[in-house]
Amino acid sequence: MKTIGTNLLHDRTLHLTSMLALLAFLFGQVSVRDIDTKTLVALLALLILVKVVDELKGLNYLANYLIERANNTRQLIRLLLLLTFGAAMLLTNDVAILTIVPLFIQIGRRLNLKYALPITLITIYANLGSALTPIGNPQNLFIYGHYHLGILPFLTMAAPIALISLLSIWGVSFAFAPKQIKQVELTAVVINRRAMVLTGISALIILAGVLGVYSVWISLITSIFLAVSIKPTALRDVDYGIILTFIGFFIIVSALHHLTSVQQLLTHVTQQGWQLYLTGIISSQVISNVPAAVLLANFTNNYPALYLGVTVGGLGTLVASLANLLAFRQYTNHHGQQNGRFLGIFSLINSLYLIIFGVIGFGLIFLNR
């Protein structure tokens, strides 16, 4: 049986972060005040909520409903990408990937479809869809809390890149021929309507706390009560490694922040909006966009440029976003063949999107000057 300990033992990202955090503690200057408790509590509340939603199979039910209405390959991919985009926006990019990538592999086997390009696009649009809301991904949640943003300022900031991303789904779907497909037999999903209604009400309470309407601790208490009432196993299956990884990020960033050489470098490269934007993109390619956001936020008040940098920075390399690593893990777990070919296509398409959206982001930076 899967346990919390088992999950943590197999979390390589957590292992690496923990090792670096330990080195930061031993050889660096770390302040406990640099650990953002509010962000951690909000993230945990959301993780419990989305795990309950995931175990109720609501997204699977919606996916089956849409797929049954696809007449050809192009329409199928378009619907899956739209579903990914919307799910990432409301349920986080991780949940979208964990649900839709295995579902696509199941469909692909029955229709004899190639996996690499669709899974790459699913990952890309999970990252782009999650950019619209504060709860879509960890870096958004951090930026939202760190700069004390309201929901309207955040949505106004995020809307242009999100709208462009959404419209691009229509265009990219033409990369797939409209090959007619037979009806796909999918695993039947039964929905507990009473549980879904209770979850929906609880979600409103949780999100209000996360967005600052009242104490975020109320959100955490509500999410725990929801899980105990409906799906107690959700508390066991929550990815607590993300919380521990975030604590590691805060510790590492605290140590780096106190290094004079790092302070001088990052102070220099975050003065102008375009410099901060480029720094966000480049650092995300190396250390991932979540720690990049946490690190750079200490050196700037220009949150729109930082947001765009780490959003676009989630495209590109496999490590640019934790969601990218999660998608690759899902591919290897459910398919596990031609990993080199998959990585090649994944890197090529992601790099192409990085260039295109990098230019778009530059345009948005200069429009907002």
Side-chain angles (χ1 to χ4, degrees):
M1 183 177 69
K2 185 169 64 173
T3 64
I4 295 173
T6 303
N7 291 337
L8 297 181
L9 284 173
H10 291 86
D11 192 332
R12 295 181 181 178
T13 303
L14 172 61
H15 299 164
L16 176 60
T17 306
S18 299
M19 182 178 67
L20 294 175
L22 179 61
L23 291 174
F25 254 127
L26 293 175
F27 302 105
Q29 183 181 347
V30 176
S31 173
V32 177
R33 290 178 299 178
D34 290 332
I35 298 176
D36 191 335
T37 305
K38 183 179 177 180
T39 296
L40 294 173
V41 173
L43 184 57
L44 180 56
L46 288 172
L47 287 172
I48 295 172
L49 172 62
V50 297
K51 178 53 66 174
V52 171
V53 173
D54 183 43
E55 294 205 8
L56 288 175
K57 303 298 182 185
L59 187 56
N60 297 72
Y61 181 85
L62 179 59
N64 286 3
Y65 177 83
L66 293 176
I67 290 165
E68 287 170 355
R69 280 149 183 78
N71 297 317
N72 58 60
T73 306
R74 179 182 296 165
Q75 194 175 58
L76 172 66
I77 296 298
R78 187 180 295 158
L79 288 172
L80 282 174
L81 294 182
L82 286 170
L83 178 62
T84 300
F85 191 93
M89 181 175 64
L90 299 174
L91 298 172
T92 76
N93 50 0
D94 289 352
V95 170
I97 288 170
L98 284 170
T99 303
I100 296 173
V101 169
L103 180 65
F104 174 77
I105 291 175
Q106 176 190 350
I107 295 167
R109 285 197 186 106
R110 297 182 181 182
L111 297 180
N112 196 29
L113 300 175
K114 294 182 179 179
Y115 298 115
L117 179 57
I119 292 176
T120 298
L121 291 174
I122 287 169
T123 306
I124 287 171
Y125 283 101
N127 282 324
L128 292 174
S130 71
L132 181 59
T133 63
I135 63 171
N137 54 55
Q139 66 269 20
N140 280 10
L141 185 61
F142 170 75
I143 290 172
Y144 183 87
H146 183 81
Y147 292 104
H148 307 290
L149 302 178
I151 185 64
L152 287 179
F154 187 94
L155 292 177
T156 301
M157 172 183 70
I161 195 77
L163 180 59
I164 293 169
S165 304
L166 181 60
L167 293 174
S168 70
I169 291 176
W170 178 267
V172 77
S173 66
F174 284 93
F176 300 87
K179 181 181 177 182
Q180 294 296 311
I181 57 177
K182 299 177 182 178
Q183 193 67 34
V184 182
E185 283 190 27
L186 297 169
T187 304
V189 178
V190 179
I191 293 295
N192 184 330
R193 297 185 184 278
R194 179 178 173 277
M196 289 298 293
V197 170
L198 179 58
T199 301
I201 295 171
S202 300
L204 294 176
I205 298 171
I206 294 166
L207 294 178
V210 169
L211 297 177
V213 177
Y214 39 71
S215 172
V216 72
W217 288 97
I218 295 176
S219 295
L220 179 58
I221 292 169
T222 303
S223 66
I224 293 173
F225 176 79
L226 174 68
V228 171
S229 302
I230 294 179
K231 285 285 182 180
T233 55
L235 291 175
R236 179 199 67 196
D237 296 336
V238 166
D239 191 354
Y240 295 103
I242 293 178
I243 301 296
L244 296 175
T245 299
F246 241 70
I247 293 173
F249 287 158
F250 286 128
I251 292 171
I252 295 165
V253 166
S254 179
L256 290 173
H257 184 231
H258 289 94
L259 291 176
T260 303
S261 57
V262 173
Q263 287 181 356
Q264 292 174 343
L265 173 63
L266 293 182
T267 299
H268 177 70
V269 298
T270 56
Q271 292 299 305
Q272 301 294 324
W274 67 269
Q275 291 177 314
L276 174 60
Y277 172 69
L278 275 181
T279 303
I281 291 177
I282 294 170
S283 57
S284 294
Q285 303 307 301
V286 180
I287 63 173
S288 185
N289 55 2
V290 176
V294 175
L295 176 61
L296 295 176
N298 288 284
F299 296 90
T300 182
N301 290 319
N302 189 348
Y303 60 84
L306 174 61
Y307 162 82
L308 278 174
V310 296
T311 295
V312 175
L315 306 169
T317 65
L318 189 64
V319 300
S321 166
L322 296 177
N324 294 352
L325 292 168
L326 183 60
F328 180 64
R329 189 162 63 187
Q330 287 294 297
Y331 172 79
T332 55
N333 288 346
H334 290 87
H335 185 57
Q337 297 178 15
Q338 298 180 318
N339 291 345
R341 182 176 183 275
F342 176 84
L343 280 175
I345 294 175
F346 185 93
S347 300
L348 176 63
I349 301 301
N350 253 284
S351 297
L352 180 61
Y353 267 78
L354 176 61
I355 293 170
I356 294 171
F357 278 87
V359 173
I360 291 171
F362 251 122
L364 294 173
I365 289 288
F366 284 102
L367 283 175
N368 292 326
R369 289 180 64 181

